[in-house]
Amino acid sequence: GAVVSQHPSRVICKSGTSVKIECRSLDFQATTMFWYRQFPKQSLMLMATSNEGSKATYEQGVEKDKFLINHASLTLSTLTVTSAHPEDSSFYICSARKYFGPGTRLLVL
Amino acid sequence: AQSVSQHNHHVILSEAASLELGCNYSYGGTVNLFWYVQYPGQHLQLLLKYFSGDPLVKGIKGFEAEFIKSKFSFNLRKPSVQWSDTAEYFCAVNPLYNTDKLIFGTGTRLQVFP
């Protein structure tokens, strides 16, 4: 079946640095991918819709300059957390066609 | 505002007990409905989905859900739970004006004790 992968699975970085997370659809093409954020013991919050060939669409309250999204190809979307702060520490999950990636756990020190 | 509600935040059951998890949504238009499960340390997996047709849908691992349009509900059920069903369960709605966008409920943590 359809599979979505994410890389890295875990990342620890210093405050102020930028972190890039990749989301790939492995056996299908996706013109649209979605990025979610999940806080501990909470639900998934949709952050943005990644659109191949055009700008991402951000949900209300999500800073587009903070969370840069690039949908470089029909199988790859990247989320870059710029100038990361400890409050950005979270679990980031991408999806395509209602299939979810395994998530990336980000810890900002 | 449009939303998805899961009223049971934490459910504790013994093995063989019956399970029903509530899910209500507030979208007025046509929607697709989903239940996802997240086992400890694992990613989200699709349990079942409703698009159209028979409002009683059956999913994996003995789960089923019933879509009641008049109540805007899509409750998840299982007649006899197992210890391995311990997980977080999320109801999600896909408003059909956006083909793949999912709006999640707050989740229900299920603990099953042997």
Side-chain angles (χ1 to χ4, degrees):
Chain A
V3 177
V4 176
S5 71
Q6 283 183 239
H7 177 80
S9 58
R10 296 173 182 267
V11 57
I12 301 173
C13 69
K14 293 181 179 180
S15 184
T17 60
S18 295
V19 175
K20 180 184 285 188
I21 303 170
E22 293 184 347
C23 175
R24 294 181 186 273
S25 56
L26 296 185
D27 54 1
F28 64 97
Q29 294 181 332
T31 56
T32 306
M33 293 183 176
F34 299 88
W35 286 97
Y36 295 83
R37 183 173 179 176
Q38 185 179 27
F39 291 98
K41 299 183 180 180
Q42 294 188 33
S43 186
L44 283 76
M45 181 193 77
L46 179 64
M47 298 175 65
T49 303
S50 175
N51 304 300
E52 191 271 335
S54 63
K55 292 182 179 179
T57 307
Y58 291 82
E59 296 299 305
Q60 189 174 9
V62 178
E63 299 174 61
K64 61 180 181 180
D65 296 327
K66 173 76 171 175
F67 300 99
L68 299 179
I69 291 173
N70 182 27
H71 201 132
S73 74
L74 287 171
T75 59
L76 172 64
S77 173
T78 60
L79 169 68
T80 301
V81 183
T82 62
S83 186
H85 289 112
E87 58 265 31
D88 298 325
S89 299
S90 191
F91 195 53
Y92 294 88
I93 306 171
C94 73
S95 76
R97 287 198 203 168
K98 304 180 187 68
Y99 296 98
F100 286 81
T104 297
R105 188 163 300 283
L106 170 64
L107 177 60
V108 184
L109 302 177
Chain B
Q2 298 173 327
S3 66
V4 180
S5 300
Q6 290 181 244
H7 304 294
N8 314 104
H9 298 293
H10 189 188
V11 174
I12 301 173
L13 295 173
S14 298
E15 277 193 319
S18 64
L19 170 72
E20 181 160 1
L21 302 181
C23 174
N24 289 88
Y25 64 94
S26 63
Y27 294 89
T30 304
V31 297
N32 292 332
L33 298 156
F34 304 81
W35 275 97
Y36 283 88
V37 59
Q38 188 175 31
Y39 297 103
Q42 298 187 29
H43 63 278
L44 283 168
Q45 299 174 41
L46 180 64
L47 207 51
L48 49 78
K49 60 187 177 185
Y50 172 80
F51 284 0
S52 64
D54 189 344
L56 184 62
V57 293
K58 295 189 183 298
I60 60 172
K61 304 186 181 185
F63 286 91
E64 64 178 30
E66 184 176 11
F67 170 53
I68 302 179
K69 189 174 182 180
S70 60
K71 295 184 178 181
F72 296 88
S73 69
F74 190 55
N75 292 354
L76 180 70
R77 299 194 292 249
K78 185 170 183 177
S80 177
V81 295
Q82 301 174 322
W83 175 78
S84 57
D85 293 324
T86 294
E88 190 88 20
Y89 292 82
F90 295 96
C91 178
V93 171
N94 164 218
L96 288 187
Y97 60 82
N98 188 314
T99 54
D100 285 318
K101 179 175 179 177
L102 287 176
I103 307 300
F104 282 84
T106 50
T108 297
R109 183 181 176 208
L110 172 65
Q111 281 185 293
V112 180
F113 289 95

